[in-house]
Amino acid sequence: DARVTQTPRHKVTEMGQEVTMRCQPILGHNTVFWYRQTMMQGLELLAYFRNRAPLDDSGMPKDRFSAEMPDATLATLKIQPSEPRDSAVYFCASGLQVLASGANVLTFGAGSRLTVL
Amino acid sequence: SQQGEEDPQALSIQEGENATMNCSYKTSINNLQWYRQNSGRGLVHLILIRSNEREKHSGRLRVTLDTSKKSSSLLITASRAADTASYFCATDDSGGSNYKLTFGKGTLLTVNP
């Protein structure tokens, strides 16, 4: 089965350090999403790409977060500088969106668990 | 911001019973999906229902959609201990053209053997 691959699976870092999370979407999928999951907030949408173009990053703190898709096989989420409140599980998901209907079934990666001390 | 909201937050039942979870959302949608998440894992797609559909079945799953009430329900029949997981609804916003998918906070289902 095709998978979405995320690295690292776990990351512990100190406040102020830069964190980069990587995602390899499924080949042929035209959309990539980044979500953050916490107990308090649930699943928050951070960024959304279609055909590598950013469509929505309204849920992302712009001062410290950035998301890019340098090519079709790689999506990155960067936090600089990191803060303790960024501690969460970050999920990448990809899907093949049917533009006529908007239908877009997502396949999720296993997530990157980030702890900022 | 989250579009969908699941109810109840938590549900505990015995094996063999049926489980019903509800989702309410705020804006018009094109499609509504249900996903499942086992502890420590990513979400897995269960079923998609389009805005012009009222009911859909897949195995032991039955999903209904009422666009006039902006709500959906997921019914799992003859539950098993392996159905223990969190269940999320996801909606796209038909108001814009980018179809971004947002999730609710989920219902934690516990099926006791």
Side-chain angles (χ1 to χ4, degrees), chain B:
Chain B
S1 62
Q2 270 135 335
Q3 155 88 298
E5 196 167 307
E6 291 87 348
D7 168 62
Q9 285 188 315
L11 179 62
S12 181
I13 59 174
Q14 295 299 122
E15 214 166 20
E17 293 181 340
N18 296 340
T20 300
M21 289 158 271
N22 303 295
C23 169
S24 58
Y25 56 92
K26 297 170 187 165
T27 66
S28 296
I29 61 170
N30 294 300
N31 308 278
L32 184 143
Q33 302 182 49
W34 285 90
Y35 286 77
R36 162 195 170 126
Q37 183 181 32
N38 287 83
S39 181
R41 304 284 187 93
L43 281 73
V44 175
H45 172 78
L46 293 175
I47 195 165
L48 178 150
I49 186 166
R50 302 185 196 283
S51 60
N52 61 357
E53 295 176 309
R54 292 296 164 256
E55 189 170 311
K56 202 160 182 181
H57 297 255
S58 177
R60 294 184 295 113
L61 304 181
R62 174 180 167 248
V63 170
T64 61
L65 179 64
D66 187 336
T67 53
S68 66
K69 294 181 180 176
K70 292 187 169 59
S71 67
S72 173
S73 67
L74 170 68
L75 167 68
I76 304 174
T77 60
S79 63
R80 305 166 182 167
D83 295 328
T84 294
S86 291
Y87 292 82
F88 297 84
C89 67
T91 52
D92 55 22
D93 182 352
S94 68
S97 62
N98 67 17
Y99 303 117
K100 69 179 180 182
L101 273 171
T102 56
F103 287 78
K105 290 189 176 181
T107 292
L108 175 60
L109 172 66
T110 303
V111 181
N112 301 298

Side-chain angles (χ1 to χ4, degrees), chain A residues 35 37 41 48 101 104 106, chain B residues 2 33 35 37 98 101:
Chain A
Y35 293 93
Q37 187 175 38
Q41 300 298 327
Y48 164 34
S101 66
N104 192 8
L106 298 186
Chain B
Q2 270 135 335
Q33 302 182 49
Y35 286 77
Q37 183 181 32
N98 67 17
L101 273 171

